[in-house]
Amino acid sequence: MDNNEKGHGASYNEDEARLAALGYKQNMKRQFSGLQNFGFTLTNSSVLIGIVPLFGFGMATGGPLAIIWGWLLVAFFVMFIGLGMAEICSTFPTAGGLYFWTAKLGGPKWGPMFSWYEAWFNMLGQVAGCSGSVLAAATFMNTLIRVWQPSWEPSGTKNFYIMAILMVSAGLINSAGGRALKVASLVSVVVHIVGTIVLVITVLVGAPKLQDAKFVFTEFKDYTGYTTQSSASPVFVFLLGLLQSQWSMLGYDASAHMSEETEKSYVNGPRGILMSIFASVCIGLALALAMTFGIQDYETTLNSVYGAAPQIFLDCAGKVGGSIFIFIIVFAGFLCGVATVAANSRMFYAFARDGGLPFSPFFSVLNRRTQMPLRLVWLSVVIIIMLALPSLGSEATLSAISGISIIGFTVSYAIPILLRITVGAKTFVQNEFNLGRFSKPIGWIACIWTGFIFVIFNLPQSWPVDNMDHFNFTPAAVGFLLIFTTGTWFLSARHWFKGPVSEIALQELDGIVPIEAK
């Protein structure tokens, strides 16, 4: 029986053989195109649900200066991270993504320990990012109800319940199988691109007045208390304001996590990472400019009962048009939840099949109908909902969850890049996508930026911190994870965890010709 008789086209043979060379069987169904992979990744990084919900945070923490120039600054450094990741993804296209890369690049000496930390930090970024995105969608849904029913009083409790309903719905779509995910992916691309274009045009055309260019590009605002109640510099406030932009440019590792289900993953994986970053930068810049130009009265917008972004929509598009835009943000957040749960579960699956998760034999079982890790889909849903529990008692939850997500994601992005340019430099084999002699300088810039924002986003976001509403619990969450991963490693995991476990030898793939990774 040849490969085509088994239902695999020629393009699938190389994918499966490369996966076999990395030690894994083709267990999950390879069913997504490069465009669909890009759709998952763009949705996972969802600029609409990143820059819009935190627009009020940006207005208060640096103002237009931080919103516009902060976006460009973050985009510049994120591209270095993306380039470093894309090169590694081309050589190691597996569902484990960064976790697998770390193990291979660290070698026998450092691979197991670093991959242990990598897996847990990446999972933290994934679940925190999804929790924050869907919580933002729930907040906007509460706002939409209030627009049409003024007596409605939004609250953290209502936000949490709506968020839980959206997450369960995202879990159901993931459980429906590949066809449902394909549709969700393509719909998301339309929503994020077409929705953004319509929003930008409407705000610019419909605004009663537009701010001038000097305001948009040079105006600095500080409502954090740092420059008025401490000796902090405006530069420090500007740096805190980068959180809005950095949170909007995360999640592009989803392309790697979906690689075992993507055709020609050694090409489409890296392409998905870089295309999603480029698209996010363009979409986000257009949004940031339009919304900043569209601000009517600064104080009124910042202190609006609807929130800053919804107030801009209502001012520029009226009650009906503004409500449509608010709903687009809700829908984008929901689609982000769908895509993130898909990526989460693939990362969990890769870790579980190597024995890294508690109860790994139970969680690593694939569903027979969908050939997807549905048990891990629902584990992701439960953890994501639990992470949003602080929203019941703190108004600072969204920005704090954003900070947690940024730390989890960027640390997990930097670890394999650091290993690639240090201990793994001599053994790494460049593949179809490679940076040539620029690998090391690009990698070092990416790692230095990660270390910088690790410090910045663990700091208080306002001053003074005199109640729980202004408490940034990012350091608590990150600290707990560091204690947990370090404790479990030295007390237990170092004795048995060896990183990715090879499932097969190449010759076990019946009918597939083994090839060497270039």
Side-chain angles (χ1 to χ4, degrees):
M1 176 183 258
D2 66 22
N3 295 320
N4 291 331
E5 288 173 344
K6 293 167 78 173
H8 300 296
S11 63
Y12 288 73
N13 295 343
E14 189 167 2
D15 277 312
E16 295 183 13
R18 289 190 185 218
L19 185 61
L22 298 175
Y24 293 117
K25 295 179 181 179
Q26 184 66 56
N27 292 321
M28 292 188 284
K29 187 176 180 181
R30 200 173 286 273
Q31 57 188 319
F32 301 124
S33 66
L35 177 61
Q36 289 160 344
N37 179 288
F38 164 69
F40 281 121
T41 312
L42 181 65
T43 308
N44 206 35
S45 55
S46 188
V47 173
L48 277 175
I49 202 65
I51 199 169
V52 175
L54 284 179
F55 197 78
F57 176 89
M59 289 180 65
T61 317
L65 185 71
I67 292 172
I68 305 303
W69 293 110
W71 182 262
L72 294 174
L73 178 66
V74 169
F76 176 77
F77 286 107
V78 164
M79 187 55 73
F80 284 95
I81 298 175
L83 286 168
M85 289 172 59
E87 181 181 52
I88 303 172
C89 182
S90 184
T91 299
F92 302 128
T94 72
L98 297 92
Y99 152 72
F100 183 91
W101 307 349
T102 299
K104 293 302 180 184
L105 293 168
K109 182 178 181 180
W110 299 107
M113 182 181 73
F114 276 103
S115 62
W116 180 259
Y117 280 90
E118 171 66 36
W120 287 106
F121 267 93
N122 189 247
M123 287 189 288
L124 174 68
Q126 291 277 357
V127 298
C130 186
S131 184
S133 297
V134 182
L135 184 62
T139 303
F140 270 62
M141 177 59 78
N142 247 328
T143 299
L144 182 59
I145 296 172
R146 187 171 192 172
V147 169
W148 291 92
Q149 189 175 335
S151 61
W152 178 265
E153 288 292 335
S155 66
T157 301
K158 292 174 181 176
N159 288 341
F160 177 79
Y161 288 141
I162 294 174
M163 182 265 191
I165 292 171
L166 292 174
M167 280 310 310
V168 171
S169 301
L172 291 173
I173 290 178
N174 271 270
S175 299
R179 182 173 297 178
L181 285 177
K182 289 178 184 179
V183 171
S185 172
L186 295 176
V187 169
S188 178
V189 171
V190 173
V191 168
H192 280 82
I193 295 178
V194 177
T196 300
I197 292 172
V198 174
L199 192 156
V200 168
I201 292 174
T202 303
V203 168
L204 293 177
V205 173
K209 68 172 184 177
L210 292 175
Q211 298 288 345
D212 58 36
K214 181 180 179 182
F215 172 87
V216 171
F217 291 104
T218 66
E219 187 74 15
F220 173 81
K221 298 285 187 179
D222 176 28
Y223 292 83
T224 66
Y226 271 110
T227 58
T228 57
Q229 300 189 52
S230 76
S231 58
S233 164
V235 175
F236 176 71
V237 176
F238 172 86
L239 295 176
L240 288 178
L242 297 180
L243 182 140
Q244 178 197 17
S245 299
Q246 184 67 68
W247 189 49
S248 302
M249 284 186 262
L250 294 172
Y252 36 90
D253 59 314
S255 181
H257 295 307
M258 302 301 293
S259 62
E260 287 185 33
E261 298 164 84
T262 301
E263 303 167 18
K264 295 184 179 179
S265 55
Y266 48 91
V267 174
N268 287 324
R271 185 178 295 165
I273 291 172
L274 296 178
M275 285 177 60
S276 66
I277 294 175
F278 179 75
S280 295
V281 170
C282 295
I283 292 171
L285 181 60
L287 270 173
L289 286 170
M291 293 179 66
T292 307
F293 273 112
I295 295 172
Q296 299 304 296
D297 181 82
Y298 204 92
E299 297 285 344
T300 301
T301 300
L302 183 60
N303 298 311
S304 171
V305 295
Y306 301 125
Q311 186 62 55
I312 293 172
F313 298 158
L314 294 168
D315 287 341
C316 298
K319 186 175 181 179
V320 174
S323 297
I324 292 173
F325 289 138
I326 294 171
F327 179 76
I328 287 175
I329 304 304
V330 174
F331 193 40
F334 170 67
L335 291 171
C336 181
V338 173
T340 309
V341 167
N344 287 353
S345 59
R346 274 57 174 183
M347 172 60 207
F348 282 12
Y349 171 72
F351 199 37
R353 70 182 172 187
D354 295 331
L357 279 182
F359 309 107
S360 287
F362 172 79
F363 284 119
S364 60
V365 174
L366 295 177
N367 180 268
R368 290 185 179 181
R369 176 180 61 84
T370 64
Q371 293 178 268
M372 292 179 176
L374 297 192
R375 294 176 182 180
L376 290 167
V377 164
W378 289 103
L379 177 65
S380 299
V381 169
V382 171
I383 295 174
I384 288 164
I385 292 174
M386 290 176 61
L387 195 59
L389 282 171
S391 66
L392 296 173
S394 173
E395 294 179 4
T397 300
L398 180 56
S399 58
I401 291 179
S402 304
I404 294 170
S405 177
I406 290 170
I407 300 301
F409 269 125
T410 54
V411 168
S412 70
Y413 294 168
I415 290 175
I417 294 175
L418 179 63
L419 294 176
R420 157 71 183 92
I421 59 178
T422 54
V423 298
K426 292 182 179 180
T427 58
F428 181 76
V429 179
Q430 292 180 320
N431 215 312
E432 277 81 359
F433 181 89
N434 70 81
L435 302 174
R437 59 192 176 91
F438 295 105
S439 288
K440 284 194 174 182
I442 288 174
W444 280 118
I445 292 172
C447 292
I448 292 169
W449 175 252
T450 300
F452 173 72
I453 61 175
F454 182 93
V455 175
I456 290 296
F457 297 142
N458 269 299
L459 299 175
Q461 295 166 348
S462 61
W463 192 264
V465 182
D466 50 11
N467 58 64
M468 288 301 295
D469 282 345
H470 300 101
F471 180 71
N472 179 8
F473 58 87
T474 300
V478 174
F480 172 80
L481 183 65
L482 280 172
I483 293 171
F484 171 79
T485 51
T486 302
T488 53
W489 174 256
F490 284 103
L491 294 176
S492 175
R494 68 189 178 96
H495 299 296
W496 52 267
F497 182 73
K498 304 302 178 185
V501 179
S502 178
E503 291 183 326
I504 55 173
L506 281 173
Q507 60 267 27
E508 288 182 40
L509 270 182
D510 178 37
I512 295 180
V513 181
I515 63 170
E516 293 182 358
K518 296 181 181 179

